[in-house]
């Protein structure tokens, strides 16, 4: 192992959040020596490159939550970023469709939340107007959300990385962080082939963020559960069934949005994702299994409390994972003309969802300060949409630690002290 190289700030994780944080730091503190470490050969290879590509507008989130504030502002910033840097994007709009009477109060609640979050143009519509927007969708009422868009988040990640490098930041790929410890006033970061020291560390390791947070002996009080989302693609000759984005009314007890139709920026249409507990943290296939990952989930105190609360929806999701007929039937509620042969298996993604000891799935974004570190422990959807402002928010939270850590700016103490 070579001798340690010294940095002012190290970021672990080259997903969209780690990159957005790094981009914000190189802009705001150009004199800090910044290093971002990513275990894969390229940036954006996990959640950030395996998502639905939707620029969410902020209709779902509890007014006053970080998600609500950062999504609404983040969507504007993302659109502006895509425009400025020539990244393909489109504001195609979305309809959230109620198919049963019991969903109507929840649809109204979504409209109330969206309005409170500052969205404009939200409209509750009836079947006729729904038919004008999405001629093949069916429902008793719907919420039209005209500001929702789509983009390619892998292209966004690559552009963030280019800009970081152009502004003097260093990104080291194929470098997996394996250990952390404190030495004097620094953090020693060990990787599979080199060690580094830093005055401040920001953990944006996504599906592994809880493990990274435990590396120096700390206890973040949550565990990351991996939820795989599987997609089907509409065969090209049936892609015309969907113009934009068609979503169901989500179950408020569950942090995921339910299987939906998404027109991608490349013109294809996919259906999904469902949400099944994955038996490996980066388990993109049903057969992927890790005894360590599974046993650490099953032995976490909150797991069985969560399972007791969500077992019914969990079983439904598993059933849909193994039965195409069940998946199709969930989708036919939104699009009755859909047939099994219209769908072919598509990709999958694995969401990192933090679970508390009391069995609650963490709903809002969660950034946890520790000594000379900040752990980003829960940044599920809409974190890709909101990434630019999440980066700004995190840097704001760490500013004192970052500037305190600089050899050039000596003010203040670090966050963890
Ligand atoms: C199926 C699915 C659909 C989604 N749809 C949307 C959507 O439409 N719109 C939206 O806004 N959001 C969506 N999201 C959410 C969004 O994709 C995530 O919130 C976002 O990508 C999280 O980014 P991240 O940087 O935290 O995580 P990641 O992209 O997972 O990045 C974490 C990185 O850390 C690296 N890493 C981990 N451990 C180490 C280590 N020890 N050393 C070095 N590197 C390490 C990993 O290799 C990885 O690259 C979706 C997510 C999924 C999974």
């Amino acid at each position: 192992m070579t001798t340690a190289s010294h940095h002012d700030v190290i970021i672990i994780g080259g997903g969209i959040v780690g990159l957005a944080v790094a981009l914000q730091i190189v802009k705001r503190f150009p004199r800090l020596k910044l290093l971002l470490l990513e275990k894969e050969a390229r940036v954006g290879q996990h959640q950030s490159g395996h998502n639905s590509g939707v620029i969410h507008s902020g209709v779902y989130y509890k007014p006053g939550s970080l998600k609500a504030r950062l999504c609404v502002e983040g969507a504007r910033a993302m659109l502006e970023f895509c425009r400025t840097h020539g990244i393909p994007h489109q504001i195609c709009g979305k309809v959230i469709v109620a198919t049963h009477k019991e969903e109507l109060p929840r649809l109204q609640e979504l409209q109330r939340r969206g309005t409170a979050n500052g969205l404009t143009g939200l409209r509750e519509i009836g079947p006729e107007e729904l038919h004008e927007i999405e001629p093949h969708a069916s429902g008793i009422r719907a919420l039209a959300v005209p500001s929702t868009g789509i983009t390619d988040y892998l292209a966004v990640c690559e552009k963030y990385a280019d800009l970081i490098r152009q502004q003097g930041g260093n990104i080291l790929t194929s470098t997996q962080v394996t250990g952390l410890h404190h030495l004097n006033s620094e953090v020693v970061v060990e990787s599979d082939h080199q060690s580094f020291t830093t005055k401040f560390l920001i953990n944006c390791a996504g599906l592994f963020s809880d493990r990274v947070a435990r590396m120096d002996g700390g206890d973040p009080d949550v565990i990351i559960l991996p939820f795989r989302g599987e997609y089907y693609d509409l065969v090209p000759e049936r892609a015309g069934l969907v113009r934009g984005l068609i979503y169901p009314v989500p179950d408020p007890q569950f942090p995921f949005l339910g299987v939906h139709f998404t027109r991608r920026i490349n013109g294809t249409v996919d259906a999904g994702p469902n949400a099944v507990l994955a038996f490996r943290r980066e388990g993109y296939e049903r057969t992927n299994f890790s005894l360590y990952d599974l046993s650490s989930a099953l032995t976490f105190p909150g797991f069985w409390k969560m399972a007791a609360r969500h077992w019914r929806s969990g079983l439904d999701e598993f059933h849909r994972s193994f039965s195409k007929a069940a998946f199709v039937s969930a989708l036919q509620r939104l699009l009755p003309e859909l047939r099994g042969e219209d769908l072919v298996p598509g990709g999958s993604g694995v969401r990192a969802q933090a679970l508390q000891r009391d069995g609650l799935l963490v709903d809002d974004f969660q950034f946890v300060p520790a000594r000379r570190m900040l752990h980003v422990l829960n940044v599920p959807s809409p974190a890709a949409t909101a990434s630019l402002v999440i980066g700004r928010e995190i840097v704001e939270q760490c500013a004192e630690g970052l500037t305190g850590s600089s050899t050039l700016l000596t003010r203040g103490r670090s966050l963890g002290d």
Side-chain angles (χ1 to χ4, degrees):
M1 189 164 295
T2 51
T3 41
S5 65
H6 302 279
H7 300 272
D8 292 316
V9 54
I10 288 183
I11 293 156
I12 304 176
I16 203 162
V17 173
L19 291 162
V21 170
L23 183 58
Q24 184 68 23
I25 294 175
V26 293
K27 280 188 182 158
R28 190 160 160 201
F29 303 113
R31 298 168 88 175
L32 290 184
K33 190 175 172 203
L34 174 143
L35 174 65
L36 184 147
L37 299 171
E38 165 54 50
K39 67 180 166 61
E40 305 297 342
R42 290 176 58 199
V43 298
Q45 296 303 293
H46 289 291
Q47 296 175 86
S48 305
H50 285 92
N51 56 40
S52 300
V54 176
I55 305 177
H56 287 291
S57 47
V59 73
Y60 297 107
Y61 317 112
K62 231 178 257 163
S65 64
L66 266 181
K67 270 188 182 174
R69 179 164 62 81
L70 301 185
C71 181
V72 174
E73 212 187 323
R76 271 186 234 122
M78 181 56 65
L79 285 170
E80 182 59 34
F81 185 87
C82 291
R83 268 183 223 117
T84 308
H85 296 284
I87 293 171
H89 64 284
Q90 193 194 336
I91 302 172
C92 56
K94 170 202 293 205
V95 283
I96 303 174
V97 180
T99 52
H100 295 294
K101 242 187 15 269
E102 308 79 71
E103 292 174 336
L104 292 177
R106 281 192 262 142
L107 195 71
Q108 279 147 13
E109 171 61 11
L110 287 181
Q111 183 167 17
R112 190 195 67 75
R113 282 187 176 191
T115 308
N117 292 342
L119 268 74
T120 50
L122 281 180
R123 253 179 24 259
E124 197 184 319
I125 56 176
E128 276 156 32
E129 213 178 330
L130 172 62
H131 184 75
E132 279 164 30
I133 300 173
E134 287 288 355
H136 303 276
S138 162
I140 54 171
R141 304 285 297 164
L143 189 62
V145 190
S147 54
T148 306
I150 48 175
T151 188
D152 173 353
Y153 286 119
L154 185 55
V156 172
C157 286
E158 283 163 356
K159 181 50 75 180
Y160 287 175
D162 287 348
L163 295 171
I164 293 162
R165 290 191 178 106
Q166 277 166 26
Q167 300 192 42
N170 188 8
I171 298 176
L172 215 50
T173 53
S174 306
T175 306
Q176 177 162 3
V177 173
T178 53
L180 299 175
H181 61 267
H182 291 266
L183 185 68
N184 304 324
S185 56
E186 294 194 312
V187 181
V188 179
V189 181
E190 276 148 18
S191 79
D192 43 1
H193 46 92
Q194 203 179 338
S195 67
F196 313 88
T197 61
T198 183
K199 307 266 174 60
F200 200 85
L201 182 123
I202 305 176
N203 160 17
C204 302
L207 285 153
F208 292 92
S209 55
D210 59 335
R211 296 238 173 108
V212 168
R214 288 189 168 88
M215 280 180 180
D216 74 332
D219 183 0
D221 243 17
V222 294
I223 191 173
I224 299 297
L225 288 184
F227 284 95
R228 189 176 53 255
E230 296 149 330
Y231 293 93
Y232 281 94
D233 291 335
L234 245 67
V235 292
E237 20 337 330
R238 299 285 278 171
L241 287 175
V242 177
R243 283 185 177 165
L245 306 170
I246 308 176
Y247 278 60
V249 179
D251 175 351
Q253 303 305 316
F254 210 49
F256 311 118
L257 299 179
V259 287
H260 48 264
F261 293 92
T262 311
R263 182 163 280 277
R264 296 272 182 171
I265 198 67
N266 64 7
T268 60
V269 173
D270 60 38
N274 56 355
V276 281
L277 184 69
F279 297 149
R280 205 181 82 197
R281 291 210 178 191
E282 288 167 353
Y284 293 97
E285 308 286 334
R286 260 184 241 143
T287 48
N288 291 160
F289 179 84
S290 153
L291 186 60
Y292 182 61
D293 286 354
L294 187 60
S295 62
S296 58
L298 298 185
T299 53
F300 185 73
F303 182 84
W304 294 104
K305 292 178 196 153
M306 186 273 308
R309 197 170 287 133
H310 294 298
W311 67 271
R312 189 178 291 279
S313 47
L315 282 182
D316 286 348
E317 294 289 343
F318 262 107
H319 180 49
R320 274 195 283 276
S321 172
F322 284 93
S323 159
K324 183 176 176 184
F327 206 107
V328 172
S329 125
L331 291 165
Q332 278 171 334
R333 280 178 45 204
L334 300 170
L335 209 63
E337 284 171 59
L338 187 79
R339 298 170 312 209
E341 56 271 32
D342 297 336
L343 296 173
V344 289
S348 65
V350 183
R351 307 169 180 89
Q353 172 62 52
L355 170 71
Q356 296 176 173
R357 282 180 196 283
D358 60 6
L360 290 179
L361 295 167
V362 179
D363 187 41
D364 210 356
F365 296 146
Q366 194 177 77
F367 318 135
V368 178
R371 185 170 166 232
R372 294 195 174 83
M373 300 185 196
L374 186 90
H375 302 296
V376 176
L377 289 174
N378 199 56
V379 274
S381 185
T385 302
S387 52
L388 285 165
V389 290
I390 289 177
R392 193 195 60 203
E393 185 82 14
I394 288 173
V395 173
E396 200 56 53
Q397 275 200 29
C398 303
E400 207 178 327
L402 287 169
T403 54
S405 74
S406 166
T407 45
L408 304 162
L409 303 161
T410 50
R411 185 180 67 85
R413 60 178 174 82
S414 83
L415 255 187
D417 287 342

